[in-house]
Amino acid sequence: MNEDNLENLTTEQWSRVLAESLPYFKQWCGKVVVVKYGGNAMLNEELKQAVMEDIVLLSTIGIKVVLVHGGGPEINKMLEKIGKEPKFIDGLRYTDAETMEVVQMVLTGKLNKDIVGILLQKGGRAVGLSGVDAGLLRATKTEKDLGFVGEVQEVNPEIITSLLDKGFIPVISTVASGIDGDSSCYNINADTAAAKIAVALHAEKFVQLTNVPGVLRKMEDPSTLIKRIEKTALGSLKATGIIAGGMIPKIDCCLTALEGGVARTHIIDGRVKHSLLIEMFSDRGIGTMIY
């Protein structure tokens, strides 16, 4: 069902939609759901508004939503404005000291507060955090020399749980502080940070909003979507090339969450308006669930 034909629903059809949703409202009330937000859903203003509406609705009915965001395209735009060319090594951003300043400014400043502002406008109660706040994320430098790019070693979720218990929506940008006396700040991959935050919070569900329908058996053919994948099947799907390229790190993040005790993980299409609500509150769901 897409938004174009929603207005054509009969009263009976609307009743079915609402009745189908009610058990899910009860199922998820009081549970922690971590959403990693990025991709087209972040770049497109209409989609951004829809995602924020979804998040506020989830919070309003008692679901404890944690929103973790990246911001690669916005960082690139700012680097271009100051005349600095973004540098990548094997597809990973090289973050020198000057770039790290831009990352902090964009992620913890502009983007984070923009998101909080929209949530407030939609009627939500949101608080912006970075991984530096209250020692939320602590990291060490990656083995590959990428400058100030880090790998999360510790998640200290007390500040998140405190906000959730008071009915707030934590909005987290993935900049981390160093560990063991290291005073540096590190740029952290948002997908991996979100997965580790989900583990630390004992989340019931971890959702990644992406630019693809989910895991496809045939690239560019949405009809070949695999709706459910048991984690034991991931190895063979990688070996046959069905899971490849940019999907591999997303799947690996799901695996990190599952192995850490998160019950369900999802990769869903952020280009579909209200895809988060479709996943949470309908029998058909959307995207791929890895369990």
Side-chain angles (χ1 to χ4, degrees), residues 168-183:
F168 289 98
I169 304 166
V171 180
I172 303 169
S173 61
T174 53
V175 173
S177 55
I179 201 169
D180 296 333
D182 180 0
S183 61

Side-chain angles (χ1 to χ4, degrees), residues 8 13 19 75 124 127 151 175 203 208 233 244 272 275 280 286:
N8 298 322
Q13 288 171 321
I75 293 170
V127 175
E151 294 180 356
V175 173
Q208 296 181 75
V272 177
S275 57
M280 295 289 295
I286 194 170

Side-chain angles (χ1 to χ4, degrees), residues 1-9 272-273 278 284:
M1 183 185 302
N2 59 48
E3 191 179 34
D4 293 335
N5 59 28
L6 286 178
E7 294 182 0
N8 298 322
L9 290 180
V272 177
K273 288 186 71 174
I278 296 171
R284 70 188 182 102

Side-chain angles (χ1 to χ4, degrees), residues 73 101 150:
E101 289 183 10

Side-chain angles (χ1 to χ4, degrees), residues 14 28 31 38 43 47 58 61 63 76 81 103 106 112 122 129 134 139-140 184-185 215 237 243 254 274 284:
W14 268 116
W28 296 112
K31 302 293 176 57
L43 296 175
L47 291 174
L58 297 180
I61 65 172
I63 298 172
N76 289 342
K81 285 182 180 179
V103 168
V106 172
N112 190 266
K122 301 292 183 185
L129 300 170
T140 55
S184 301
C185 283
V215 178
L237 291 173
I243 294 175
C254 289
H274 302 298
R284 70 188 182 102

Side-chain angles (χ1 to χ4, degrees), residues 54-65:
D54 292 357
I55 296 293
V56 170
L57 175 58
L58 297 180
S59 178
T60 300
I61 65 172
I63 298 172
K64 297 181 176 182
V65 188

Side-chain angles (χ1 to χ4, degrees), residues 1-252:
M1 183 185 302
N2 59 48
E3 191 179 34
D4 293 335
N5 59 28
L6 286 178
E7 294 182 0
N8 298 322
L9 290 180
T10 65
T11 301
E12 182 180 355
Q13 288 171 321
W14 268 116
S15 298
R16 285 182 197 158
V17 169
L18 295 172
E20 182 182 310
S21 301
L22 182 58
Y24 292 103
F25 286 10
K26 294 178 178 178
Q27 176 183 347
W28 296 112
C29 184
K31 302 293 176 57
V32 176
V33 175
V34 175
V35 178
K36 189 273 174 175
Y37 173 52
N40 283 2
M42 198 171 209
L43 296 175
N44 181 290
E45 187 60 33
E46 187 178 5
L47 291 174
K48 182 189 293 186
Q49 296 291 327
V51 170
M52 297 305 122
E53 289 169 0
D54 292 357
I55 296 293
V56 170
L57 175 58
L58 297 180
S59 178
T60 300
I61 65 172
I63 298 172
K64 297 181 176 182
V65 188
V66 178
L67 189 60
V68 181
H69 69 86
E74 291 285 350
I75 293 170
N76 289 342
K77 286 181 184 177
M78 184 59 69
L79 289 172
E80 290 171 7
K81 285 182 180 179
I82 66 172
K84 187 175 182 66
E85 185 175 349
K87 180 181 177 182
F88 294 88
I89 298 175
D90 297 329
L92 301 172
R93 183 187 300 278
Y94 181 83
T95 307
D96 60 17
E98 186 178 25
T99 302
M100 189 63 219
E101 289 183 10
V102 172
V103 168
Q104 287 182 275
M105 179 174 63
V106 172
L107 291 187
T108 68
K110 182 181 185 304
L111 279 178
N112 190 266
K113 301 313 174 190
D114 283 351
I115 292 169
V116 170
I118 297 172
L119 288 170
L120 293 174
Q121 180 190 22
K122 301 292 183 185
R125 302 173 70 217
V127 175
L129 300 170
S130 78
V132 174
D133 293 317
L136 171 55
L137 299 177
R138 295 193 181 274
T140 55
K141 190 173 181 179
T142 55
E143 291 184 10
K144 180 179 287 189
D145 185 11
L146 296 169
F148 292 93
V149 175
E151 294 180 356
V152 175
Q153 302 299 326
E154 292 180 6
V155 179
N156 302 300
E158 290 85 358
I159 185 68
I160 303 177
T161 55
S162 178
L163 289 169
L164 290 174
D165 289 344
K166 291 178 172 61
F168 289 98
I169 304 166
V171 180
I172 303 169
S173 61
T174 53
V175 173
S177 55
I179 201 169
D180 296 333
D182 180 0
S183 61
S184 301
C185 283
Y186 291 99
N187 184 14
I188 305 295
N189 177 276
D191 292 315
T192 56
K196 292 190 176 185
I197 289 170
V199 170
L201 291 171
H202 309 290
E204 191 71 19
K205 187 187 283 277
F206 169 51
V207 181
Q208 296 181 75
L209 288 171
T210 68
N211 300 333
V212 294
V215 178
L216 305 175
R217 290 194 179 277
K218 294 181 181 179
M219 290 290 288
E220 310 301 331
D221 185 355
S223 68
T224 65
L225 175 69
I226 306 175
K227 293 187 176 182
R228 296 167 61 92
I229 302 174
E230 191 171 358
K231 71 175 184 178
T232 54
L234 294 175
S236 62
L237 291 173
K238 287 182 180 179
T240 56
I242 292 173
I243 294 175
M247 185 57 70
I248 291 177
K250 297 185 184 303
I251 291 292
D252 288 346

